[in-house]
Amino acid sequence: MNHLWSLLAESFWQILLPGLTMTIPLTAISFSIALVIAVAVALVQFARVPAARQIARFYIWVIRGTPLLVQLFVVFYGLPHIGILIDAFPAAVIVFSINQGAYCAETIRAALESVPPGQLEAAECAGMTWGQSIRRIVLPQALRTAFPPLSNSLIGMVKDTSLASNITVVEMFMATERIVARTAEPLALYIEVGVIYLLFCTVLTKLQRAGEKRLRVYG
């Protein structure tokens, strides 16, 4: 038992460090890009531009209908067969961004459509262009509505980054697997990494609640 506690204490920092230097940056970069993709795709659907809307719907259909792990394998292991080589971390960023962008696009689209149409019409009557109306009136309200589900998507992405270990990204889960292979203590170590993921998600949950409270006060 003393040996087990000693192992857990030693491995904690060996797992946490990749979490801080790889898992968190991977999540932050990917989610930031995903939000840009999501807003663009949602606006295309909201504007009802026929051809662009069909492309957006096709993108969402494909990404939401295929497993994230398959998408990672296609980009990292599949593309080299046609001469496209991408390092593990950029490949993970690309896949997570595109994957999460599809889900967040639907969240933002629903939030845009929840804004009363009369506000857009009133803004246009006040002399605003369609773009100005969206940027100043509709989008701020929509993002306020979308904040809780988008926060949930961010928390989910923190956990999904564990799949990046399958394409050799040395994040928390792969660091844990390496320690397990060396020490043959899977139960304790997998529980430990689960607790660390839980800590990360708990911090994000508290930030989410603080953000929601702030939006209620200033909304």
Side-chain angles (χ1 to χ4, degrees), residues 44-89:
V44 164
Q45 295 184 87
F46 184 71
R48 291 179 170 80
V49 180
R53 189 183 187 191
Q54 289 303 314
I55 294 172
R57 295 304 304 167
F58 179 78
Y59 155 67
I60 293 170
W61 172 65
V62 171
I63 296 302
R64 295 204 306 171
T66 55
L68 175 57
L69 185 59
V70 171
Q71 296 165 17
L72 284 167
F73 275 42
V74 167
V75 171
F76 187 70
Y77 295 114
L79 291 184
H81 285 272
I82 58 173
I84 302 175
L85 301 175
I86 306 176
D87 291 336
F89 186 82

Side-chain angles (χ1 to χ4, degrees), residues 106-159:
E106 287 295 88
T107 298
I108 296 174
R109 178 192 59 79
L112 287 169
E113 293 177 352
S114 71
V115 178
Q119 295 196 23
L120 184 60
E121 296 170 1
E124 291 175 351
C125 290
M128 292 186 187
T129 64
W130 186 88
Q132 290 174 331
S133 302
I134 292 295
R135 188 174 66 253
R136 297 178 184 178
I137 306 297
V138 177
L139 198 55
Q141 295 182 68
L143 291 178
R144 188 179 297 116
T145 302
F147 181 81
L150 289 177
S151 299
N152 291 336
S153 296
L154 175 60
I155 292 171
M157 181 179 276
V158 172
K159 295 174 288 184

